[in-house]
Amino acid sequence: METQQSKAVEDSNATDEAGAAADAELAKAIMARQFHPSLIGPEAWEGYVFSDLEIRIKESTDVYGAVLWPSAMVLCHFLETNQDKYNLMDKNVIELGAGTGLVTIVSSLLGAKVTSTDLPDVLSNLQYNVTRNTKGRCKYIPLVTELIWGQEVEQRFPRATHCFDYILAADVVYAHPYLEELMDTFDHLCQENTQILWAMRFRLDPENSFVDRFQQRFHLEQLYDLPSLSIKLYRAWRRDRSTKDQGEAAAETVKQKTMNIH
């Protein structure tokens, strides 16, 4: 018995070590896509290589959303290396919280028709980066536009005319006060055939509780788990609306019966 237990422990340790090695190798490959300019010029920028092209990203340190976070690199790496299964060519794509624009740029280079969204104070730097890195390189010119989560989303993006194949998001969940508005925005934009690809860095409890609430509305599949970067990448799609409605109706029926009994 002790021998069997020892072997099980050894197998478990070997599995953990293999997982850690795979995580480290993938994280290294992702971070290797970033490079720094060899010479310091008049404008500061960070370099990235995707689709065999050099991408130069200007950050704006005075605006939180205009700084590039590693989650964006993770999502871009996934999109480029999984084109057989997630082919963005000619697909309608919207990015939430586009920030510095790296995900928008890479998606555009991969052939997508991209609507790139963020807050008003981020748009100037976002538009600069997107134009600088996509002009003359892409099949479709990305559209950069304002989107404040939860505000006028239905008016700005009516479901009848705005059907997206993919919703992309990188590092949009953290300790900010608009998580419910973000959830509602996901819910409005994600239609029956829409897929969400969402990279998230885990920092504090709000991230975990958001995932729990997110799963009440959407199916969730983990695509990457990178403990060394504290980042997970998910694919999500909406739960069947009719099933959800039936469940809510059944709950309401039970509630009414209980009230009648009392």
Side-chain angles (χ1 to χ4, degrees):
M1 180 65 71
E2 290 183 3
T3 302
Q4 290 178 342
Q5 290 178 340
S6 299
K7 187 176 186 306
V9 170
E10 289 175 3
D11 290 344
S12 176
N13 290 338
T15 300
D16 291 343
E17 290 175 4
D23 160 48
E25 184 177 348
L26 179 55
K28 182 179 179 181
I30 292 170
M31 300 310 293
R33 291 178 176 272
Q34 181 180 24
F35 68 92
H36 301 281
S38 56
L39 298 174
I40 303 299
E43 179 182 271
W45 54 272
E46 297 287 336
Y48 303 86
V49 177
F50 288 95
S51 296
D52 297 323
L53 293 171
E54 179 182 290
I55 298 171
R56 296 188 179 191
I57 295 293
K58 176 188 173 185
E59 296 184 338
S60 180
T61 54
D62 58 334
V63 180
Y64 187 76
V67 177
L68 196 145
W69 303 101
S71 295
M73 295 175 61
V74 170
L75 179 51
C76 288
H77 179 87
F78 178 84
L79 292 172
E80 183 180 309
T81 56
N82 290 273
Q83 295 179 63
D84 55 335
K85 190 171 182 180
Y86 300 93
N87 187 352
L88 297 187
M89 183 62 68
D90 300 323
K91 296 295 193 297
N92 286 314
V93 171
I94 186 169
E95 184 185 3
L96 303 182
T100 59
L102 182 64
V103 174
T104 286
I105 293 163
V106 172
S107 301
S108 298
L109 293 173
L110 294 174
K113 293 176 276 189
V114 183
T115 300
S116 182
T117 70
D118 213 314
L119 297 171
D121 58 350
V122 178
L123 291 188
S124 177
N125 189 64
L126 172 59
Q127 182 69 72
Y128 175 82
N129 284 327
V130 169
T131 301
R132 175 187 196 174
N133 290 284
T134 62
K135 190 175 182 180
R137 288 176 160 185
C138 300
K139 185 175 181 180
Y140 303 100
I141 299 173
L143 171 65
V144 174
T145 187
E146 171 188 325
L147 176 59
I148 301 174
W149 299 332
Q151 291 188 20
E152 300 182 353
V153 178
E154 293 185 17
Q155 291 83 1
R156 298 273 324 278
F157 298 94
R159 294 172 65 90
T161 55
H162 291 72
C163 300
F164 295 103
D165 299 295
Y166 290 97
I167 300 170
L168 305 180
D171 229 358
V172 293
V173 178
Y174 50 92
H176 60 70
Y178 305 107
L179 292 176
E180 282 306 315
E181 289 83 353
L182 173 60
M183 184 79 75
D184 291 339
T185 301
F186 271 128
D187 192 54
H188 173 75
L189 295 173
C190 186
Q191 300 193 42
E192 184 178 353
N193 296 315
T194 306
Q195 295 190 72
I196 299 170
L197 295 175
W198 162 35
M200 181 171 70
R201 186 171 187 180
F202 284 79
R203 301 179 182 85
L204 301 168
D205 180 65
E207 287 88 342
N208 296 307
S209 59
F210 183 89
V211 172
D212 292 339
R213 287 182 285 115
F214 186 85
Q215 290 185 87
Q216 295 174 12
R217 303 193 196 186
F218 303 95
H219 296 286
L220 198 63
E221 175 190 4
Q222 182 175 288
L223 301 174
Y224 279 172
D225 183 8
L226 300 167
S228 61
L229 300 176
S230 300
I231 292 173
K232 292 184 179 182
L233 175 65
Y234 296 109
R235 177 176 79 97
W237 62 102
R238 71 177 310 110
R239 293 187 179 276
D240 182 78
R241 185 176 294 273
S242 61
T243 301
K244 180 181 177 182
D245 292 343
Q246 289 170 8
E248 291 175 348
E252 183 64 25
T253 300
V254 171
K255 181 180 177 181
Q256 291 294 332
K257 287 182 177 178
T258 303
M259 293 174 63
N260 291 337
I261 291 173
H262 294 292

